[in-house]
């Protein structure tokens, strides 16, 4: 258990005082005990003196009465006669006047003539007195028949010494009582005679104690020790010690009784002690509070600081040390809060532009959403500096940093209240427009244009920045920050491709985008598993009226996405760069198929679509040539279809590579002719043998005069250049007839056949009467 400082202090002060008080009380009690004891001892000395003088007085009275008796004439005569009877009658006459317990008559020689008690002889002391023949007589204390008596012996003269008369009084209870009432002390008489053990004669002590004394009266010291045990102070007075006769008086006084007078003093002391103890506790409590209160205040303050509350100042009025500690805590709290603010600022801001960073604007955005009266409409504009890259290349990083700073400054200064700007990527600044709808965006655009209308001046160099902007509008374009930002990125991506440099997100674009991401993932899995199959679409030769060639087209059935068509996945494969892997798979599958057909006696040329990315890689070109060579097939077994637009990005490289094909005698066809910006003039320079007119020009050929015009002149020009012409997308007989009339060399389209599996193709070819046009009941 932990004892608090305050309680320790209380215990210490209280304990100290209690010990002091208790020991002084004890000392006082001890001192009073010894004082009382010595007073009692002194008192007992006085009691002894009183006792002795009481005996003395008693003897003097006896002596007086004995002398009266000795002077009595009749008595003298009786003694002279020596007759006992006469003596007794004289004594009887005196009777009351004598008032003695013992009467004795002695002859002049000291022989006992008469005695009231059985006295054989007098004690030696008495005999000595008689021998001296003292006229004043003698007084002795002696035991007669075991009882103590005071005996006074007076000579009787007539006129010569006739004898002695003795009067005695018993030292008995009445005498002891008299002494007790005089002195307040208790008296016990002990006698011993004839070698017998001491015996108690009388006692004024309370009965219980006297019986105890009687029982213990055996050994010499026992009586006093018994009294001492009962807290009595005893004084032993020897009254007689003659021969074997001993008489002792025990004078005793109760210590308890004597101390009784001190009891009120003791009580007072205890009361004073208790009051002092209580006062000490109260004082200790006050002191402890004085010490612990500031400590508690400091502890509370430290806890507040730990909780991140720095606004509270600690004010302490007690003690210099505590005051100093409080001041230090205040100082610490100031420094901590300052440092925390700085750290927070750094965590929430971009240090270059001093704009909030992405995480800060995200949380600001979210807390705005939770505001109850926030406008429901808002917009985000993602701004990118289109030419920042070039500026960096031209003038270096420091320069483009300065450009960003200047741009951030311009934007921040033109923001409305409630709007925000944050730098969320190296060259991107996100603008948040509160309460802005699509309808009101023109105002914002005008303002932004105005911001960037005049060139910035960086290090004295005038810089014109080209901002690109992608906009999203909430709630129609999404709700969450991340979702809106992603869609703004899509809009920004579109803005890069338009002349005016801004674009608004359109619903569905994001899903499209997401679909492309999924496709990219799944496509990789399909490549790893080689999960593709090929279908083949016949190409009908108009001159031969036969199918001599087929086009190989890919099919992909994904376990998760289902059937995905090449129009969708080929562009994704091109973007992710996986297209070349796919083309290698296609090449392998097709070569294997041609070999199989060759073995079956079916001679077909297969047209394979290649991507621009394939053509631009010499490695792939060499690989394709090698594959074909090692398959043992003739180079005329395949035709590679390539699109012109794909080669445009690096025409020289593309040309160099396709010349490799030309070298080994592989034929090439220009696919999708008529869709790009390609010109027939350029075809002259390309080592191609065939031209495929895109289906967009063919599908509605029978109805569209313009298409007819284009197709006709294309065929003429191609023929002029020595190229074979194929039209794809022939869906009806009318178009077919037109193409035939225009001199088109071959046609491909649903009217002839849809793309089909190798097995289906074989059946289809087998069933096919020649010529095809005749089968369909049309004139050739
Ligand atoms: P493409 O090279 O122009 O192929 C012709 C496309 O037109 C094929 O579509 C074909 O099914 C379709 N088509 C043929 N006749 C008709 C018709 O009468 N009417 C209509 N509406 N369409 C017709 P598919 O198979 O969906 O292929 C689309 C594109 O995907 C191809 O256009 C080609 O550019 C690309 N592609 C297909 N397979 C491969 C391949 O193995 N490798 C590469 N690199 N691209 C391929
Ligand atoms: Ca094609
Ligand atoms: Ca085409």
């Amino acid at each position: 258990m932990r004892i608090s400082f305050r309680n320790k202090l209380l215990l210490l002060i209280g304990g100290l005082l209690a010990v002091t008080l208790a020991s002084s009380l004890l000392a006082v009690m001890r001192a009073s005990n010894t004082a009382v004891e010595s007073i009692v001892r002194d008192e007992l000395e006085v009691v002894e003196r009183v006792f002795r003088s009481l005996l003395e007085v008693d003897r003097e009275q006896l002596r007086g009465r004995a002398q009266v008796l000795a002077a009595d004439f009749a008595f003298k005569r009786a003694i002279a006669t020596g007759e006992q009877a006469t003596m007794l009658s004289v004594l009887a006459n005196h009777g009351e006047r004598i008032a003695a317990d013992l009467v004795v008559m002695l002859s002049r020689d000291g022989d006992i003539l008469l005695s009231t008690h059985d006295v054989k002889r007098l004690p030696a002391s008495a005999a000595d007195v008689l021998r001296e023949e003292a006229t004043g007589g003698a007084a002795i204390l002696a035991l007669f028949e075991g009882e103590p008596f005071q005996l006074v012996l007076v000579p009787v003269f007539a006129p010569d010494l006739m004898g002695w008369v003795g009067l005695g009084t018993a030292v008995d209870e009445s005498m002891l009582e008299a002494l007790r009432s005089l002195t307040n002390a208790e008296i016990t008489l002990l006698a011993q005679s004839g070698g017998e053990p001491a015996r108690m004669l009388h006692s004024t002590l309370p009965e219980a104690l006297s019986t105890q004394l009687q029982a213990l009266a055996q050994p010499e010291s026992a009586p006093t020790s018994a009294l001492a045990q009962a807290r009595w102070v005893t004084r032993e007075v020897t009254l007689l010690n003659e021969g074997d006769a001993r008489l002792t008086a025990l004078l005793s006084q109760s210590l308890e009784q004597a101390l009784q007078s001190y009891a009120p003093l003791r009580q007072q002391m205890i009361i004073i002690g208790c009051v002092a103890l209580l006062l000490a506790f109260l004082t200790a409590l006050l002191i402890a509070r004085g010490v612990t209160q500031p400590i508690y205040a400091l502890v509370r303050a430290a806890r507040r600081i730990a909780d991140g509350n720095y606004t509270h100042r600690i004010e302490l009025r007690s003690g210099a040390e505590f005051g100093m500690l409080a001041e230090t805590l205040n100082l610490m709290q100031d420094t901590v809060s300052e440092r925390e603010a700085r750290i927070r600022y750094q965590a929430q801001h971009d240090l270059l532009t001093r704009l909030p960073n992405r995480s800060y604007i995200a949380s600001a955005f979210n807390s705005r959403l939770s505001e109850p009266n926030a406008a429901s409409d808002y917009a985000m504009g993602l701004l990118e500096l289109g030419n920042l890259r070039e500026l960096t290349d031209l003038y270096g990083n420091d320069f483009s940093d300065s450009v960003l700073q200047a741009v951030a400054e311009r934007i921040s200064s033109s923001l409305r209240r409630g709007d925000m700007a944050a730098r969320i990527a190296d060259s991107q600044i996100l603008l948040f427009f509160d309460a802005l709808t699509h309808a009101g965006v023109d105002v914002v655009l005008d303002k932004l244009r105005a911001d960037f209308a005049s060139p910035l001046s960086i290090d004295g160099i005038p810089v014109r920045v080209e901002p690109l902007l992608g906009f999203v509008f909430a709630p129609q374009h999404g709700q969450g920050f991340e979702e809106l930002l992603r869609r703004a990125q899509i809009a920004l991506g579109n803005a890069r491709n338009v002349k005016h440099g801004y674009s608004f997100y359109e619903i569905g674009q994001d899903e499209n985008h997401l679909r492309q991401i999924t496709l990219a993932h799944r496509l990789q899995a399909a490549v790893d598993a080689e999960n593709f199959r090929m279908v083949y679409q016949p190409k009908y030769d108009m001159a031969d009226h036969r199918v001599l060639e087929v086009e190989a087209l890919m099919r992909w059935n994904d376990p998760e996405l289902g059937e995905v068509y090449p129009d969708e996945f080929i562009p994704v494969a091109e973007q992710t760069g996986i297209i070349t892997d796919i083309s290698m798979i296609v090449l392998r599958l097709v070569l294997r198929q041609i070999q199989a057909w060759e073995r079956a006696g079916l001679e077909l040329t297969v047209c394979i679509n290649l991507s621009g990315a394939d053509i631009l890689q010499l490695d792939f070109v060499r690989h394709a040539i090698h594959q074909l060579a090692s398959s043992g097939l003739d180079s005329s077994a395949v035709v590679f279809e390539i699109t012109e637009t794909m080669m445009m990005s690096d025409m020289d490289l593309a040309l160099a590579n396709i010349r490799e094909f030309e070298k080994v005698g592989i034929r090439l066809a220009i696919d999708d002719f008529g869709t790009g910006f390609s010109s027939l003039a350029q075809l002259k320079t390309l080592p191609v043998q065939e031209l495929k007119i895109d289906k967009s020009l063919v599908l509605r050929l029978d109805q569209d005069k313009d298409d007819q015009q284009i197709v006709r002149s294309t065929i003429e020009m191609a023929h002029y250049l020595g190229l074979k012409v194929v039209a794809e997308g022939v869906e009806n007989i009318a178009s077919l007839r037109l193409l035939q009339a225009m001199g088109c060399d071959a046609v491909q389209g649903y009217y002839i056949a849809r793309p089909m599996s190798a097995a289906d193709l074989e059946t289809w070819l087998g069933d096919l009467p020649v010529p095809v046009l005749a089968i369909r009941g049309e004139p050739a």
Side-chain angles (χ1 to χ4, degrees):
M1 191 187 72
R2 272 173 56 193
I3 304 175
S4 72
F5 174 69
R6 191 176 62 183
N7 291 349
K8 274 185 193 158
L9 204 67
L10 278 179
L11 277 177
L12 184 75
I13 296 180
L16 267 178
L17 199 80
V19 168
T20 318
L21 280 173
S23 54
S24 64
L25 194 64
L26 213 69
V28 165
M29 274 162 64
R30 272 244 181 92
S32 64
N33 266 9
T34 36
V36 166
E37 206 176 311
S38 79
I39 288 170
V40 169
R41 277 187 204 291
D42 290 351
E43 263 177 21
L44 286 180
E45 219 178 292
V46 174
V47 171
E48 182 187 341
R49 278 204 294 277
V50 171
F51 187 35
R52 285 191 192 279
S53 59
L54 204 65
L55 290 175
E56 183 80 12
V57 168
D58 189 53
R59 280 200 300 271
E60 285 315 308
Q61 281 178 356
L62 273 179
R63 190 189 298 274
R65 290 202 297 274
Q67 276 167 351
V68 169
L69 192 61
D72 188 271
F73 184 72
F75 186 68
K76 283 181 185 179
R77 220 175 29 201
I79 285 189
T81 60
E83 288 169 15
Q84 268 195 1
T86 320
M87 278 186 276
L88 281 174
S89 76
V90 172
L91 284 177
N93 279 344
H94 279 269
E96 295 291 292
R97 265 179 294 157
I98 299 171
D101 299 320
L102 172 80
V103 181
V104 65
M105 303 288 288
L106 306 174
S107 69
R108 33 183 302 188
D109 304 322
D111 299 328
I112 291 169
L113 303 174
L114 178 104
S115 173
T116 50
H117 286 68
D118 180 21
V119 182
K120 302 281 180 302
R121 55 186 181 89
L122 287 175
S125 55
D128 290 345
V129 173
L130 296 185
R131 221 167 288 127
E132 281 167 20
E133 291 187 13
T135 44
I140 56 161
L141 187 69
L143 292 173
F144 295 107
E145 295 177 335
E147 283 290 310
F149 284 91
Q150 292 221 85
L151 181 66
V152 177
L153 291 169
V154 177
V156 182
F157 295 102
D160 298 321
L161 180 68
M162 300 294 294
W164 301 82
V165 62
L167 294 182
T169 49
V171 182
D172 58 3
E173 237 155 290
S174 62
M175 183 178 262
L176 299 190
E177 281 299 337
L179 182 63
R180 182 174 180 252
S181 61
L182 263 178
T183 61
N184 214 14
E186 308 288 343
I187 306 139
T188 305
L189 273 184
L190 298 173
Q192 201 178 9
S193 58
E196 284 167 23
R199 120 190 100 82
M200 197 182 83
L201 299 174
H202 308 288
S203 179
T204 60
L205 280 172
E207 187 138 3
L209 210 68
S210 65
T211 45
Q212 198 188 339
L213 270 181
Q214 218 156 359
L216 283 167
Q218 195 49 259
E220 286 290 306
S221 60
T224 37
S225 80
L227 283 170
Q229 254 174 24
R231 289 177 60 75
W232 288 77
V233 179
T234 311
R235 187 175 174 89
E236 218 172 298
V237 179
T238 306
L239 298 175
L240 173 70
N241 192 1
E242 203 182 292
D244 54 2
R246 266 178 77 96
L247 186 67
T248 315
L250 296 181
L251 307 177
S252 31
Q253 213 158 31
S254 161
L255 210 52
E256 294 294 341
Q257 215 174 353
L259 277 171
Q260 206 89 117
S261 54
Y262 286 87
L265 176 69
R266 211 183 309 170
Q267 257 166 22
Q268 271 169 9
M269 273 202 71
I270 290 173
I271 290 171
I272 289 171
C274 287
V275 170
L277 206 60
L278 193 74
L279 281 176
F281 264 111
L282 287 176
T283 320
L285 204 67
L286 274 177
I287 293 173
R289 269 170 66 94
V291 176
T292 51
Q293 213 130 288
I295 291 181
Y296 287 147
L298 289 170
V299 166
R300 278 197 301 277
R303 290 219 178 105
R304 268 199 306 274
I305 296 175
D307 289 346
N309 175 359
Y310 307 120
T311 50
H312 210 280
R313 297 213 67 77
I314 311 156
E315 306 283 1
L316 278 188
R317 275 181 300 278
S318 65
E321 291 86 349
F322 286 127
M324 221 155 79
L325 193 54
E327 261 321 296
T328 315
L329 268 183
N330 280 336
L331 190 71
M332 186 185 92
Q333 134 173 324
D334 290 346
T335 339
V336 168
S337 90
E338 205 175 279
R339 194 175 314 148
E340 203 180 276
R342 203 166 56 234
I343 291 171
R344 198 183 310 120
Y345 182 86
Q346 284 175 358
Q348 294 174 340
H349 289 79
D350 163 48
L351 296 182
L352 175 68
T353 58
R354 309 229 148 255
L355 289 176
N357 59 18
R358 180 182 173 139
S359 70
Y360 180 69
I361 198 172
S363 68
F365 177 90
N366 287 327
S367 59
R368 181 200 172 274
L369 284 193
S370 56
E371 272 171 33
N373 50 356
S376 59
D377 298 301
Y378 49 92
M380 273 190 193
L382 187 56
L383 182 142
E384 189 176 72
L385 299 183
N387 54 342
L388 191 68
R389 184 72 184 269
E390 288 127 61
L391 290 173
T392 313
D393 291 346
L394 260 174
Y395 302 108
N397 274 318
D398 288 350
F399 188 85
S400 59
D401 280 356
S402 305
V403 171
L404 268 169
Q405 271 170 339
V407 167
E409 231 165 80
R410 278 204 181 174
I411 288 175
S412 311
S413 63
S414 77
L415 284 180
R416 288 180 311 165
R417 255 175 71 97
D419 292 353
M420 279 184 279
R423 188 181 179 202
I424 61 153
D426 275 354
S427 61
Q428 291 184 345
I429 292 172
L430 182 67
L431 304 169
F432 174 85
F433 302 103
D434 199 29
L436 179 68
T437 63
H438 202 305
V441 77
D442 281 344
V443 184
V444 171
L445 276 171
D446 286 345
K447 205 156 83 175
L448 284 168
R449 262 187 224 115
D451 280 345
F452 293 102
S454 57
L456 303 166
S457 173
I458 311 291
D459 302 341
I461 303 171
V463 177
R464 193 175 290 280
V465 291
E466 295 162 12
L468 301 171
L469 277 156
F471 280 94
V472 280
F473 298 94
Q476 64 266 39
H477 290 160
Q479 288 288 342
F481 178 79
E482 290 302 326
E483 186 182 44
L484 285 169
L485 180 59
R486 192 175 64 238
R487 294 178 175 183
Q489 290 282 11
I490 291 167
L492 180 63
N494 296 333
R496 291 189 193 110
N497 301 324
V498 291
K499 213 168 149 244
H500 47 261
Y502 63 86
S503 167
F504 306 121
Y505 176 78
E506 274 161 36
I507 291 166
Q509 282 178 338
D510 190 20
E511 287 74 7
N512 202 1
H513 186 73
L514 289 177
R515 165 91 176 165
Q516 290 194 335
I517 292 171
T518 328
L519 279 180
H521 269 109
R522 298 303 309 157
L523 209 51
Q524 180 65 57
V527 167
D528 293 342
E530 295 206 359
N531 185 24
F532 300 107
R533 68 200 152 79
M534 304 307 297
V535 291
Y536 300 89
Q537 189 179 29
K539 241 175 175 182
Y540 183 75
D541 192 286
M542 301 282 235
D544 275 1
H545 301 290
R546 279 201 300 155
V547 173
L548 301 169
E549 296 183 356
V550 291
E551 181 180 3
L553 296 159
M554 276 185 96
R555 292 295 177 261
W556 170 34
N557 194 324
D558 186 76
E560 280 178 21
L561 302 171
E563 191 74 36
V564 190
Y565 285 88
D567 274 334
E568 192 184 6
F569 73 80
I570 293 294
V572 176
E574 282 172 341
Q575 273 163 29
T576 58
I578 204 175
I579 185 68
T580 309
D581 293 337
I582 293 177
S583 297
M584 285 183 183
I585 294 172
V586 168
L587 191 65
R588 205 161 50 241
L589 292 172
V590 170
L591 291 179
R592 218 182 289 157
Q593 186 58 58
I594 301 173
Q595 286 170 323
W597 279 329
E598 217 181 58
R599 281 197 296 276
L602 190 62
E603 205 172 300
L604 280 172
T605 295
V606 181
C607 305
I608 300 171
N609 292 285
L610 290 187
S611 163
D614 300 331
I615 306 294
L616 292 174
Q617 286 181 61
L618 187 59
D619 276 354
F620 173 79
V621 172
R622 294 210 168 125
H623 173 81
I625 293 168
H626 176 75
Q627 285 280 96
L628 182 62
S630 53
S631 72
L633 294 169
D634 194 83
S635 52
S636 64
V638 295
V639 173
F640 287 136
E641 295 187 4
I642 53 176
T643 58
E644 209 186 353
T645 43
M646 296 177 190
M647 302 188 292
M648 296 287 264
S649 63
D650 193 342
M651 201 44 136
D652 295 338
L653 180 64
L655 259 175
N657 287 345
I658 58 179
R659 291 232 157 81
E660 297 283 314
F661 287 131
E662 191 188 25
K663 277 184 209 159
V664 294
I666 298 175
R667 278 178 295 156
L668 295 170
I670 288 290
D671 203 358
D672 295 350
F673 190 83
T675 51
F677 307 101
S678 58
S679 65
L680 279 167
Q682 243 177 0
L683 281 178
K684 252 191 341 195
T685 57
L686 291 175
V688 295
Q689 290 75 40
E690 198 177 297
L691 190 138
K692 286 185 85 170
I693 299 173
D694 192 69
K695 60 175 177 280
S696 58
L697 292 168
V698 180
L699 286 173
R700 300 175 339 109
L701 189 70
D702 53 329
Q703 292 153 44
D704 195 313
K705 292 270 181 270
D706 290 345
D707 285 352
Q708 290 172 16
Q709 193 65 46
I710 297 167
V711 171
R712 184 178 293 113
S713 55
T714 303
I715 294 171
E716 278 172 16
M717 279 292 227
H719 281 166
Y720 174 75
L721 289 170
L723 301 173
K724 188 182 155 190
V725 182
V726 184
E728 61 173 27
V730 180
E731 292 192 345
N732 53 50
I733 184 69
S735 302
L736 180 74
R737 286 226 189 88
L738 279 169
L739 287 165
Q740 196 177 27
M742 290 172 189
C744 187
D745 301 292
V747 287
Q748 192 183 341
Y750 293 170
Y751 182 72
I752 313 296
R754 287 185 177 251
M756 58 193 111
S757 69
D760 288 348
L761 179 72
E762 286 158 31
T763 339
W764 184 83
L765 284 172
D767 291 348
L768 191 67
V770 180
V772 171
L773 296 181
I775 330 162
R776 295 186 176 262
E778 302 288 342

